[in-house]
Amino acid sequence: MTISQEILQTLKAYHFDNPEATWDELRERLIDIAESCLTMAHGDSSLVAYEMINDEQHQALREASAKLPLSINQQRAVGKALEIIEAAQERLEGRPGKLVEIVRDLRGESCSTPVALSPSLSVLPIQPLTFKTLSGLYMEERKDNIQASTMRDVKSSCEAIGAILGDLDLKTHTRDDMKNLRAKLLEDRKPSTVKKILTRLSTVMDWAVNNDYISKALTDGLKPTKGTDSAREAFTQDQMKALMAHAKTLPMDSWQRWALSLGVITGTRIAELRQLTKADVKQVAGVWVIDINRNDGKTAKTKNALRVIPLTDGAYGFDLQAFREFVEKADSRLFKLGAGQFSAVLNGALRDVLSLNADRTQTFHSLRHSLAGALKAVATQVEINEAILGHASGSISNDLYGAGSSVEIGRMADALKTALLI
């Protein structure tokens, strides 16, 4: 049997942790709580926060009733507290009737007797504003503006932070609490990973300050600076050649042949690659490209990820005509596996062909690093590199479909030819 700290803290907040307490003592506490729930004023932010707090308290009290050897008086008080929480939720929706009746019942007054409500708002059980609660509020607000893949990363980072901070009240946290969090994260994670997690922490905490949940964030300068370079390693030229040599041994109608080949010559993200359709392989300004877009329900990591990437015929032996024939025979989607299986098959192929270590320093994503390195090695203009890789920040991405598209796509195609036709 496991009793969580959350359960124990909830019992203590309600004064239910004393098995010797009389019913009258517990009833007085219940009256204070019920009256506070009935009279407390709320803004939009606190309405959401108290809905979550009430849900957590309701769950904790139910588990306490089921798992702990509570006295008869304690069990009676827990039962009434559950009624109060349920009624408090209705009051948050503008329906206070049940809560009014509970207060009258506890005070032993008839329904015709006026209820003298306590003006004090300080008797509501003080629950810590945990990072779990705070990040839940953040994700709920941002869910419509964040791609599903990014939201998974957000949730993963927030869970890692929440597991360490636990029941820490962020309304009273200190800089030492944040430094201890960093130290705990660094115990079993690489500095580069910790830097990403702490970046997410700063985002959530700054959001919380801006929305008046907490008064201070205390996350400035927290991210580690040593050892934070990406752990992902680019493939060597010999590895790239070996990978393409393997791809060319696969049948012309093999999706793996073309998925591996496109990864090598375009540096596309694996999620972008998986979503390609027949319509995304086309000519723009006389150049054959793949078009990374959000058409037909497809997703993209960022706005800058929306781009076209020229296909370089002959790069590491890539056969553009054979690829076009593969595309012509496709129904709509070029690759039909789900995200997890698609990634597993391609990364498994890389490990098998190149005898990679299991430490994930070289994966399909490393192909992006390889292409970036190849472009940099031939001194390609930075804006062109960014446009090809989907990190565009300059005029090229803005002009791709404008009057200068022919010139810009031609420059991208020339850059890839210089970098890849070795």
Side-chain angles (χ1 to χ4, degrees), residues 131 135 138-139 153-163 200 204:
F131 189 80
S135 60
Y138 169 80
M139 286 185 281
D153 290 339
V154 173
K155 186 176 181 181
S156 176
S157 295
C158 288
E159 286 177 348
I161 296 167
R200 185 63 58 194
V204 174

Side-chain angles (χ1 to χ4, degrees), residues 37-38 40-44 47-48 51 54 85-100:
C37 290
L38 191 56
M40 178 176 287
H42 289 288
D44 290 339
L47 280 175
V48 176
E51 283 180 1
N54 287 341
I85 293 172
E86 292 163 5
Q89 292 289 62
E90 292 191 8
R91 185 256 160 166
L92 293 177
E93 298 171 358
R95 294 180 286 129
K98 286 186 180 179
L99 200 50
V100 171

Side-chain angles (χ1 to χ4, degrees), residues 50 83 91 96 105 116 126 131 137-138 175 180 185 187 190 204 232 250 260 335-336 345 364-365 422:
Y50 271 90
E83 291 181 26
R91 185 256 160 166
D105 179 63
I126 303 301
F131 189 80
L137 292 168
Y138 169 80
R175 178 67 176 182
N180 289 337
L185 289 170
E187 286 179 1
K190 295 180 179 180
V204 174
R232 200 81 70 212
L250 300 175
L260 292 170
F335 311 111
K336 298 181 180 180
V345 171
F364 192 91
H365 195 77
I422 57 175

Side-chain angles (χ1 to χ4, degrees), residues 165-236:
L165 293 183
D167 295 320
L168 175 69
D169 189 349
L170 293 177
K171 291 178 289 189
T172 58
H173 74 289
T174 66
R175 178 67 176 182
D176 282 342
D177 292 324
M178 297 293 97
K179 291 164 71 174
N180 289 337
L181 166 66
R182 178 180 61 189
K184 287 287 187 181
L185 289 170
L186 285 168
E187 286 179 1
D188 55 1
R189 295 174 177 86
K190 295 180 179 180
S192 58
T193 302
V194 173
K195 183 178 180 179
K196 292 179 181 178
I197 294 175
L198 293 178
T199 297
R200 185 63 58 194
L201 170 71
S202 296
T203 300
V204 174
M205 295 292 278
D206 289 343
W207 171 87
V209 171
N210 293 335
N211 285 273
D212 204 28
Y213 286 111
I214 59 176
S215 60
K216 56 189 181 299
L218 302 180
T219 56
D220 289 347
L222 197 65
K223 288 175 282 190
T225 55
K226 293 183 179 180
T228 56
D229 293 335
S230 175
R232 200 81 70 212
E233 293 181 2
F235 292 114
T236 66

Side-chain angles (χ1 to χ4, degrees), residues 337-413:
L337 294 184
Q341 191 176 3
F342 186 76
S343 176
V345 171
L346 291 184
N347 279 296
L350 291 176
R351 287 192 295 271
D352 292 341
V353 173
L354 302 177
S355 301
L356 301 179
N357 295 326
D359 57 7
R360 295 188 61 79
T361 56
Q362 287 186 313
T363 67
F364 192 91
H365 195 77
S366 298
L367 296 172
R368 286 177 59 76
H369 292 259
S370 300
L371 182 60
L375 289 166
K376 186 176 180 180
V378 295
T380 308
Q381 187 177 345
V382 172
E383 288 81 4
I384 296 177
N385 295 358
E386 291 176 334
I388 291 170
L389 293 169
H391 296 154
S393 59
S395 61
I396 288 179
S397 61
N398 295 329
D399 291 342
L400 274 180
Y401 293 103
S405 62
S406 177
V407 174
E408 306 303 352
I409 292 177
R411 292 169 64 194
M412 294 165 66

